Amino acid sequence: MADQDTPRITNGGVVGQVDATKIARYGGVATFALLPRLDEVQTADIAVVGIPFDAGVSYRPGARFGPSHVRESSRLLRPYNPELNISPFASQQVADAGDIATNPFDIEAALESIESSYQKLLQRAKKVIAIGGDHTITLGILRALKAKHGPISVIHFDAHLDTWDSYFGAEFTHGTTFRRASEEGLLDPQGCIHIGIRGPLYAPSNLDDDKALGFQILSAVAIEELGLSAASEQMSKRVGNKPVYLSIDIDVLDPAHAPGTGTPEAGGLTSRELLQLIRVCKNFNVVGGDVVEVAPAYDHAQVTGIAASHCIYEMLSAMAK
Amino acid sequence: MADQDTPRITNGGVVGQVDATKIARYGGVATFALLPRLDEVQTADIAVVGIPFDAGVSYRPGARFGPSHVRESSRLLRPYNPELNISPFASQQVADAGDIATNPFDIEAALESIESSYQKLLQRAKKVIAIGGDHTITLGILRALKAKHGPISVIHFDAHLDTWDSYFGAEFTHGTTFRRASEEGLLDPQGCIHIGIRGPLYAPSNLDDDKALGFQILSAVAIEELGLSAASEQMSKRVGNKPVYLSIDIDVLDPAHAPGTGTPEAGGLTSRELLQLIRVCKNFNVVGGDVVEVAPAYDHAQVTGIAASHCIYEMLSAMAK
Amino acid sequence: MADQDTPRITNGGVVGQVDATKIARYGGVATFALLPRLDEVQTADIAVVGIPFDAGVSYRPGARFGPSHVRESSRLLRPYNPELNISPFASQQVADAGDIATNPFDIEAALESIESSYQKLLQRAKKVIAIGGDHTITLGILRALKAKHGPISVIHFDAHLDTWDSYFGAEFTHGTTFRRASEEGLLDPQGCIHIGIRGPLYAPSNLDDDKALGFQILSAVAIEELGLSAASEQMSKRVGNKPVYLSIDIDVLDPAHAPGTGTPEAGGLTSRELLQLIRVCKNFNVVGGDVVEVAPAYDHAQVTGIAASHCIYEMLSAMAK
Amino acid sequence: MADQDTPRITNGGVVGQVDATKIARYGGVATFALLPRLDEVQTADIAVVGIPFDAGVSYRPGARFGPSHVRESSRLLRPYNPELNISPFASQQVADAGDIATNPFDIEAALESIESSYQKLLQRAKKVIAIGGDHTITLGILRALKAKHGPISVIHFDAHLDTWDSYFGAEFTHGTTFRRASEEGLLDPQGCIHIGIRGPLYAPSNLDDDKALGFQILSAVAIEELGLSAASEQMSKRVGNKPVYLSIDIDVLDPAHAPGTGTPEAGGLTSRELLQLIRVCKNFNVVGGDVVEVAPAYDHAQVTGIAASHCIYEMLSAMAK
Amino acid sequence: MADQDTPRITNGGVVGQVDATKIARYGGVATFALLPRLDEVQTADIAVVGIPFDAGVSYRPGARFGPSHVRESSRLLRPYNPELNISPFASQQVADAGDIATNPFDIEAALESIESSYQKLLQRAKKVIAIGGDHTITLGILRALKAKHGPISVIHFDAHLDTWDSYFGAEFTHGTTFRRASEEGLLDPQGCIHIGIRGPLYAPSNLDDDKALGFQILSAVAIEELGLSAASEQMSKRVGNKPVYLSIDIDVLDPAHAPGTGTPEAGGLTSRELLQLIRVCKNFNVVGGDVVEVAPAYDHAQVTGIAASHCIYEMLSAMAK
Amino acid sequence: MADQDTPRITNGGVVGQVDATKIARYGGVATFALLPRLDEVQTADIAVVGIPFDAGVSYRPGARFGPSHVRESSRLLRPYNPELNISPFASQQVADAGDIATNPFDIEAALESIESSYQKLLQRAKKVIAIGGDHTITLGILRALKAKHGPISVIHFDAHLDTWDSYFGAEFTHGTTFRRASEEGLLDPQGCIHIGIRGPLYAPSNLDDDKALGFQILSAVAIEELGLSAASEQMSKRVGNKPVYLSIDIDVLDPAHAPGTGTPEAGGLTSRELLQLIRVCKNFNVVGGDVVEVAPAYDHAQVTGIAASHCIYEMLSAMAK
């Protein structure tokens, strides 16, 4: 049952954002984009859910505060997306499903509860966009999606490959997500691509391993050289019409555009480039997505949070009918 | 209807905080102290409500973001107050009533909606604690309380008197609240006291005017000289058993303890002193309260937000049965 | 009468900056670019004036501190502009006219005093560049310019259209400036253009309304796609040799380049792009300009203030003979 | 073998700080107080060691960066302590032992390596002062000290009791250290005391449990009421001449004095009070100590780091012959 | 000639602050406390002058930006001081004399220009209060005052003695000011006192040397133990009715109260204590004063700048007739 | 003798970084990239050395803290550079030589000690990369290199020319380095180029002087217009196969990418552009390099420090066999 006091924009049966002409955007509780809570609308086309977990981090922790920070940074989002000529909150029911509770100390237990909570959430929402948390969470999500879609493509925006093997004996960390996912058969080896990769690696073999796991690489340097159009084409060619998951590590952005993250690397994408690449995904069969690794303690003036909230907005637009 | 998924601490029929042993404190939406929303529990003994309004500010604006910042800074508050040996969320139903919407441009219109919304809120909650917003909001609140209690005492923690007359032709600003309140007959002229006053004034007549309006002054310098016990006695003597409203401008704290505010003055109280003075109010007949002038853009590491949330916690404890 | 003690660079009768070889740039009072006060030189070709007003803001306030922040951030500007091969402080008398005082609470009263003070200022300075303050101030300026120039072209650098209709019953806010200006006949409907627009809107009709009010749009995405040369040509074609006003909302820059602003949107221009687009305006008949929406409380290390001060420097250069 | 190039202050065979009259304090690698590395002097009376571990944190993480931050913040410490009339780096060999490596993901494995590394370190240094890291690390240390001293007294400076039982099934976290230590027989139940306790608890039973585990409480409020002298006496009385370990959670300080920490509570001690209470410990038989919970991402201008480094300086002085 | 456009508070022939009821305090150029420039009033009882010099700094530089920061932080100061019942801008003409230009690279040349500019300034102002800059500047000032007053008393508020001998061969630095002053016969050896001293020294001999140079010490620890009244008495007894100079190194405050400084030491004074100690000086024959070592790059929300501006305000009050 | 306890990556006789699979990257002392100290390996192919000197700065000081900040910001660098397919720490011995001590007050004395220390260092390391410190230090370095290589080419990345003549009588400052170097015959007048120049100059003659001193200019605007490929070609053509020194003033980056610097100018390079331009230098005969003007007090979340550390990483890669 919806909170009856809150004036909202509605479109047919779709309940949208708080009506900002009645309640100023800085007022009220910050659900994502001031959308209704899932318990207000019961079911949704797309649920936005937070997964405040960061025990898989190898350097700067703090992404556990990512969901609340991204929500607070999403208050300015308005209903109509002119670039895609879409009203993502009117043509589909989007709702904020709150946060998935996880064990803060035990990574494997956390992954299990992420998987099961995500599956439970899929009973109420056709698709889900997650706000991390660190990149470990994506493994739990991909496990849940496997049950529904089989192996899927992943478009992975990141400075890092995240296909390392283990770290201090831990198999499941924010740096091993896509190796585990590949090993567990969650990925379509013909349809995965990393975008924005840059910075030093451990060894040349990292690249061979990565390729063997089913990934193509479109590096940050390549994007500078190719330009956005050619880069978009390469992405499109890789993904085709396969079911695809969008996973955005906010450190794909240059530290100037995303200081609030845990393992920053110089030489990254601009937010303008990243948003444009997400818009291209409207042509794909997107089955879910996430934005991870926002670490608010290192952010300034919500620069990182705003970039992250815009990424989710473009994902929601790209997924709209 | 309460959100059924959220595990909560309960005590008889009283619904308390999210159970932090099941959902880590950094997770989920930040209601004040992770308490239930008022719409989850229908009625309450005390409602905490935000009033995100700052158009009455004469210097640094930004207190419109105060309510969400104080809520985010209240996640660590736990259920039992050892200093007063009270469990403020178990012995009384406390709930978060969200924010009162106001016109961001028209001060008088805003005061009217604050008054009417507050009165409406009093139908669901016996008492209310407000999070500002700037100090202008207190006038709307005192008007609403007048209808219920007649003229009341005010314990006013602040660096400033807030009994100036007008500013740029505006009668209603954050610096004129208590003059207007006195003129409108909202105050008991035998029971009002300013605590923590310091810093330069406009003229010696400010002090005479203030006295004529019904206020005593217990300055920051006097608190240093007298010590907390004697200061508490003076406060108690002034208030007696009259109905009393607690209005805390966070700039009563020294800028070291509350950098995130709009008109900071050096030489203020420590948070330890302020919290202790609030605890003394458990002996009074407190009918409501507020914490105002938290301007998050100037805060660092939630130092100001945490101090403000502790003030509310101690007020809630002082008001508990 | 000029302050005789201060060593200054002079060129014929033109009084320029403090001589930085005699007084280090971090010393002395920060007039814009360390130029003389208008009262020191009596009249000027161009006056730089602050308008510290932000009551028209709908989200983060604080642009009232913009003028002093931009001045402090302008200390490093030197006399010769190699890109345009111009010495903007030698070929014309530029002076700092201080700030226009406005009512901080009453928007319409403020607009009136901006208009009248600006007109009075035009008696001492041929042209004026204003430092905001929020974008509301531009309406007062355009009213003053109407009297002198009739309807004029506007090149409007901004993330937002600022042609909304009203907000909370307020007709005059930072989001309605150009709709009001159009309705009041202040604009040449064949010569106005928005540059850098991006981010979500309220509805598709916003675009139609905007067009009807006389604006073309050159979006941030279009600039990425077209490149600066083609974008410059489109701007030139729109403006031709009409009298043109340059209005720069600093949020046209990406939040990475301008964190210190009130309604930041990801995906914006770089400072390098913006400065280059301003340089193109040397070919136009520029009759005035402004830089608005610098909110220092959200700035870091003067990044935003420095960008703003460089914008003014390029405007002054573009306006130089 | 010592690095022969570095000019150092020496006293007999004791190798002290880098000679700041030859190398300015901001130069060179930041060992604690610019003291020699342990490998330069082979053995020491006291070793300062970092333990960069924070997987036991329940709220804001980041104390893993504590050791490097405290070292960087210790560059200004000079050789002579006038309050105690002691030269702590001349009368005893103090050296920086670097950091103890731990598993960042597995708390129990980390505790084991802390214990074993600490014991190994005790073969080269008579006593050790540790820089955390979160408060979990103290359990590893107390286990190592048990082998040498049997059950010992602990003077525990903290806002929190840290005697909770478990959290999300984890027995070993920063909130359970002293319960586990008591259960494991590491503590002298007649000689332990918490100093600076404040803020809400989970339940009244927390206090009973704490007492049963062998702790006295000297709260922050009590210190305000008693004054430092009486508080010191209570501390002295509790400890007597037992072997005592000093464990300082930096959140014992008010957030104004220590914003850079993970679970801040308003109403804390000033740094002046804390340093004075540490000085009193010169009368005790101090066998080791730590300063934990410095989370640099939340610090500003090294305020927290400087306070922490001064705490260690006073501990070293109190332990000097 | 005064700027005729600016509305000002006047009292007889005394020209005071900008009238804040006509121009909001955030508007206009920031002279100290929005007082007139000295060139507007020709002569003054007290001139406030900036000396933006920091080449004598041994650790964190940046005090060169102190004068502009303290002025920006002084906008809120109002005309009447209730603690001393004085209107310091009405009973005496106070004016802002701008900044003294110095060589940024050559310390001795800078000292000479400080001395000569200060003497020149004394021809237009009876007394001067300087805003540093680092503590080196005080030597230039004391040399200038020697010519007028002979050897004088100094009340020196500081964490440090500043009576070291030399550093890297430099005789004149911020750490040697009072040794040089004593050697040059600028000080009355019976009337000098350091207040707020704390933190480690180089050697016990520092204390003996300091005493031999004519200083008493009232340490920060002693102030905690004695209380403000007894401390004030000790200060009064030392100074008597000698001509006295007040030199305030802002690091006398605890880093919580003054993070924005170059050599911070934990355990300092609160701003409330410092302001009260300055007020005591109204009983003395104060012939000048300074506030030095404000390094804005390390400040937050003007906390340090506000404390410094209040110190100057209390000095001006203490010096008022 | 190497510290035997630290696990390290080795390759034949080459000692590399701390093994991050055994010690997490946030642990241990921050040498550059966690490489061995020079005293651990005795000799090196390339030494990285800090020169913490900033007395030559004309605006914001603080680069004296640059070396420790860049080292702390270099912890994430990994061993393999995929863009150049090089392992810069395996194919050559790189070591951290600590800091060169300089006089903090006397520029000429500092230059002498930089020159002599650098020459001494060249006896143990074939090549050196320096971390500033301000740009003054490069003169000392170029003097030392003259002895070895004769006049050399310089690729100078900077917003500023640094070929001014003198400032306040000082011949040796951060703005005069390359004029002095040219005058002293240290430069090959056919092989020097400035890259990234932008912002206002003092006079048109600056450009003529600069050309006469032997420099070409590739401005920031030109890089935007030409693109990276053409810009790289111009750079290559200028340098050919001459011995070349790379001098990177971090302010060549836009303030968005490098807020932490002393004389920021809007309109700069992105970190992606800068890193790519450094990579081109693998084709040159690079004989040394530096990264200067990192002023940590103005940095945020190590954005500037990380960019600087990546610049050094690419230089090391470009210099690798």
Side-chain angles (χ1 to χ4, degrees), chain F residues 52-82:
Chain F
F53 172 84
D54 65 5
V57 160
S58 59
Y59 198 64
R60 292 177 182 168
R64 64 180 68 180
F65 289 99
S68 67
H69 186 67
V70 174
R71 285 185 181 107
E72 283 292 340
S73 304
S74 73
R75 290 174 176 270
L76 276 174
L77 294 171
R78 283 171 292 267
Y80 174 65
N81 185 338

Side-chain angles (χ1 to χ4, degrees), chain B residues 21-317:
Chain B
T21 65
K22 306 232 173 75
I23 298 183
R25 292 181 180 287
Y26 46 79
V29 167
T31 54
F32 183 77
L34 303 174
L35 288 162
R37 300 188 310 276
L38 183 55
D39 71 276
E40 291 179 278
V41 293
Q42 305 301 348
T43 62
D45 293 297
I46 307 184
V48 177
V49 70
I51 309 183
F53 173 84
D54 65 5
V57 160
S58 60
Y59 198 63
R60 291 177 182 168
R64 63 180 69 182
F65 289 99
S68 67
H69 186 67
V70 174
R71 285 185 180 107
E72 283 291 340
S73 304
S74 74
R75 290 174 176 272
L76 276 173
L77 294 170
R78 282 169 294 267
Y80 174 66
N81 185 338
E83 293 301 333
L84 296 181
N85 190 23
I86 279 169
S87 294
F89 311 140
S91 60
Q92 56 190 353
Q93 180 65 56
V94 186
D96 189 323
D99 286 354
I100 290 178
T102 66
N103 188 309
F105 304 115
D106 184 329
I107 300 175
E108 298 189 36
L111 282 172
E112 282 168 31
S113 61
I114 292 168
E115 182 182 355
S116 64
S117 297
Y118 198 94
Q119 279 182 322
K120 201 173 151 199
L121 185 54
L122 283 175
Q123 294 168 5
R124 296 174 70 187
K126 290 178 199 151
K127 295 177 182 176
V128 175
I129 291 178
I131 312 173
D134 75 52
H135 224 150
T136 313
I137 68 167
T138 304
L139 184 61
I141 295 169
L142 292 174
R143 285 174 181 171
L145 289 172
K146 170 77 178 304
K148 186 167 180 183
H149 298 286
I152 57 178
S153 289
V154 170
I155 302 179
H156 172 218
F157 297 89
D158 203 326
H160 311 93
L161 300 171
D162 292 1
T163 52
W164 287 309
D165 194 352
S166 75
Y167 195 57
F168 282 87
E171 284 182 285
F172 305 100
T173 76
H174 73 157
T176 65
T177 290
F178 293 109
R179 181 182 284 261
R180 288 296 95 74
S182 179
E183 291 169 351
E184 296 182 12
L186 314 179
L187 306 182
D188 177 340
Q190 309 309 321
C192 293
I193 184 167
H194 304 293
I195 297 180
I197 298 299
R198 65 190 186 277
L201 303 175
Y202 284 103
S205 60
N206 296 159
L207 295 171
D208 302 327
D209 289 6
D210 189 75
K211 198 173 178 183
L213 292 163
F215 279 90
Q216 256 189 18
I217 294 175
L218 181 59
S219 74
V221 168
I223 290 169
E224 172 104 34
E225 287 171 356
L226 294 170
L228 281 179
S229 290
S232 299
E233 275 172 43
Q234 187 173 331
M235 182 171 81
S236 300
K237 202 170 155 193
R238 180 70 175 169
V239 170
N241 56 4
K242 307 182 188 87
V244 64
Y245 184 81
L246 306 181
S247 187
I248 301 176
D249 184 324
I250 203 68
D251 71 20
V252 71
L253 293 177
D254 192 273
H257 294 266
T261 194
T263 46
E265 306 276 347
L269 272 59
T270 66
S271 65
R272 197 168 70 192
E273 290 170 339
L274 177 58
L275 296 176
Q276 194 63 8
L277 289 170
I278 301 172
R279 286 183 197 114
V280 172
C281 300
K282 77 180 163 188
N283 302 315
F284 306 154
N285 175 20
V286 181
V287 299
D290 61 49
V291 177
V292 298
E293 301 283 350
V294 175
Y298 297 91
D299 201 6
H300 172 73
Q302 300 184 317
V303 167
T304 314
I306 288 166
S309 76
H310 278 247
C311 288
I312 295 173
Y313 186 84
E314 293 297 343
M315 279 204 267
L316 288 167
S317 298

